[in-house]
Amino acid sequence: MLGSAAVRPFGIYVHFPYCSHICPYCDFAVAVAARIPHERYAAAVVKELAARAALYAGREAVSLYFGGGTPSLWEPACVAHVIAAGRAHFGLGRAAEITLEANPESCDAARLRAYREVGVNRLSLGVQSFASPSLVALGRRHSGADAARAVSEARAAGFDNLSIDLIHGDTTQTVGDARADAARAVALSPEHISCYALTLTELAVPVPMARAWERGDLKFPDEETQAQMGAAVREELARGGIVRYEISNFAKEGRTAVHNALYWEGADVVQAGNGAVGLWRDPITPRGRRTINERAVGRYLEAIESGRTELAVATVEELDAEALLRERFLTGLRRVAGIDLALLEEELGLPARARHEKTIGSLVERGLASWNGQRLALTERGLDLHSEIALQFF
């Protein structure tokens, strides 16, 4: 739990938008540039971080996450510049988790060694699939062999904390294919695996794959088949000792993601970069503020370079205790461990248990949750129905 403001963990999220191409399912704030402005973008991120530092004086960040986009396209010297800013402005310690997302085709041995040398200690590889038909359907530009090579080179570069991303449910995939992908991932022995079902609804922007699906040009597995794929993947990962700890995240013992847990626990996250999302919690009252940066990278850079960091923020959402409670049900119930409602009541000053007593009782009775009077956690079946269940607490 978060505890007092002085000891509440917080992290830093840095968004790097540039990609060599844009995948047809991606709705992130990304861009393709003939020439990536490496130093210019790094300077803007560092300037934004410096502008946000005062709110976190006296506290130490526990994580720094480079997401994208394709951060493995960013020059290691620029990554080093940002890490140095994290250490200088937010007390980012030597033991902090520093993650960089990478695509198999954009990270060779020398580049990976350079990232490790400047302080990156966790690598998240966007594998998505090892099968050629799925990779083509998803618009990926690497092969299964490329993914295996990237893992091998990451180990040689000194990475002992490695995560692999998988996606199931594309137009070509069967339940057996999803299981085979999970088995190949396990065989590479990563510390962490994230497995997502391909989703084309409620996207931030319309994407080519979603438009083709709406026109009827593409057909995807139905909900029952998607559920079977998810079950097959979980079974294969468990067989390999990679245990589910969140709806879509699995890890070896002691290797859960520090940064990702901050989102599920409602912790503060400092944002930097176009499209980046941050959350600040008031240190005294149960209130908070979510800020989302301008998505267009050009407008973001211009705003930061003008000296008015606030112009880089496109959206500000004020969150009272009620809003924070709703969000904690939504995010906290994603975790296999669930939510400690007694501590949540203390933190937010709201009677969460009494208010939702009937809902909790109904979930337990239907085998969708466990409850000991303090901690509420969804069962395996409940996790599969997470979205519908979480809405019952709104």
Side-chain angles (χ1 to χ4, degrees):
M1 288 296 292
L2 297 182
S4 68
V7 297
R8 284 179 186 165
F10 77 99
I12 306 165
Y13 175 77
V14 173
H15 187 75
F16 181 78
Y18 298 102
C19 292
S20 59
H21 72 290
I22 299 177
C23 298
Y25 59 88
C26 177
D27 70 333
F28 297 147
V30 296
V32 174
R35 294 184 62 185
I36 296 173
H38 295 276
E39 293 81 8
R40 182 187 179 194
Y41 193 80
V45 164
V46 167
K47 192 171 184 178
E48 183 181 2
L49 289 174
R52 299 191 184 284
L55 288 174
Y56 298 87
R59 298 170 63 187
E60 295 184 0
V62 299
S63 65
L64 169 57
Y65 193 101
F66 292 93
T70 309
S72 52
L73 291 176
W74 212 357
E75 291 299 334
C78 293
V79 171
H81 191 27
V82 175
I83 292 173
R87 300 201 195 285
H89 298 303
F90 301 98
L92 186 73
R94 297 294 168 183
E97 178 190 88
I98 302 179
T99 303
L100 183 132
E101 292 182 347
N103 281 343
E105 75 276 15
S106 63
C107 53
D108 56 29
R111 198 171 193 83
L112 290 173
R113 282 196 301 272
Y115 289 133
R116 187 69 190 91
E117 288 169 1
V118 301
V120 177
N121 54 29
R122 183 173 183 269
L123 199 67
S124 179
L125 280 173
V127 172
Q128 318 312 359
S129 177
F130 295 90
S132 294
S134 288
L135 291 169
V136 171
L138 294 170
R140 307 297 289 178
R141 294 190 172 180
H142 65 269
S143 66
D146 290 333
R149 172 196 54 76
V151 169
S152 177
E153 292 182 342
R155 295 303 194 198
F159 284 97
D160 62 1
N161 197 356
L162 180 65
S163 182
I164 286 176
D165 278 6
L166 295 176
I167 292 178
H168 62 267
D170 68 76
T171 56
T172 73
Q173 203 173 46
T174 66
V175 173
D177 294 332
R179 182 185 293 277
D181 267 346
R184 289 193 67 177
V186 168
L188 293 172
S189 195
E191 284 67 38
H192 188 281
I193 297 180
S194 297
C195 300
Y196 305 99
L198 181 62
T199 302
L200 296 174
T201 58
E202 299 182 11
L203 301 176
V205 293
V207 299
M209 188 174 278
R211 291 196 296 268
W213 174 52
E214 291 167 356
R215 292 193 305 266
D217 296 340
L218 294 176
K219 185 176 181 180
F220 294 90
D222 57 29
E223 288 187 12
E224 181 179 350
T225 303
Q226 284 267 22
Q228 291 172 356
M229 288 178 173
V233 166
R234 293 193 295 272
E235 184 179 299
E236 207 63 41
L237 298 186
R239 184 179 291 118
I242 302 179
V243 180
R244 190 185 203 184
Y245 71 97
E246 191 267 351
I247 288 177
S248 302
N249 287 275
F250 306 74
K252 292 181 178 178
E253 185 175 356
R255 294 301 192 130
T256 58
V258 172
H259 186 82
N260 292 357
L262 297 175
Y263 296 107
W264 306 322
E265 295 170 2
D268 294 30
V269 175
V270 182
Q271 92 266 24
N274 69 295
V277 180
L279 176 67
W280 174 79
R281 291 286 306 277
D282 190 292
I284 300 173
T285 64
R287 304 182 69 85
R289 180 183 303 117
R290 175 171 291 105
T291 49
I292 305 175
N293 283 355
E294 167 65 56
R295 281 180 64 95
V297 63
R299 289 199 291 271
Y300 165 79
L301 288 170
E302 290 170 3
I304 296 295
E305 291 166 351
S306 74
R308 298 180 62 189
T309 305
E310 70 276 9
L311 295 179
V313 176
T315 304
V316 177
E317 181 184 5
E318 300 293 341
L319 303 169
D320 60 13
E322 293 287 351
L324 290 171
L325 179 63
R326 290 193 296 270
E327 291 201 354
R328 292 294 289 283
F329 273 113
L330 184 64
T331 60
L333 287 177
R334 293 184 61 90
R335 302 171 66 204
V336 170
I339 315 172
D340 187 324
L341 292 186
L343 288 178
L344 188 59
E345 287 179 341
E346 182 181 343
E347 180 185 326
L348 298 179
L350 296 173
R353 288 176 288 183
R355 180 186 294 180
H356 297 292
E357 182 179 3
K358 290 183 179 179
T359 299
I360 292 171
S362 174
L363 292 173
V364 172
E365 185 178 345
R366 289 182 287 154
L368 299 175
S370 64
W371 172 243
N372 63 5
Q374 179 169 336
R375 182 169 290 277
L376 176 66
L378 298 185
T379 62
E380 191 80 5
R381 191 156 67 93
L383 288 170
D384 287 340
L385 300 171
H386 166 267
S387 296
E388 295 92 326
I389 290 172
L391 289 175
Q392 296 179 40
F393 294 96
F394 280 32

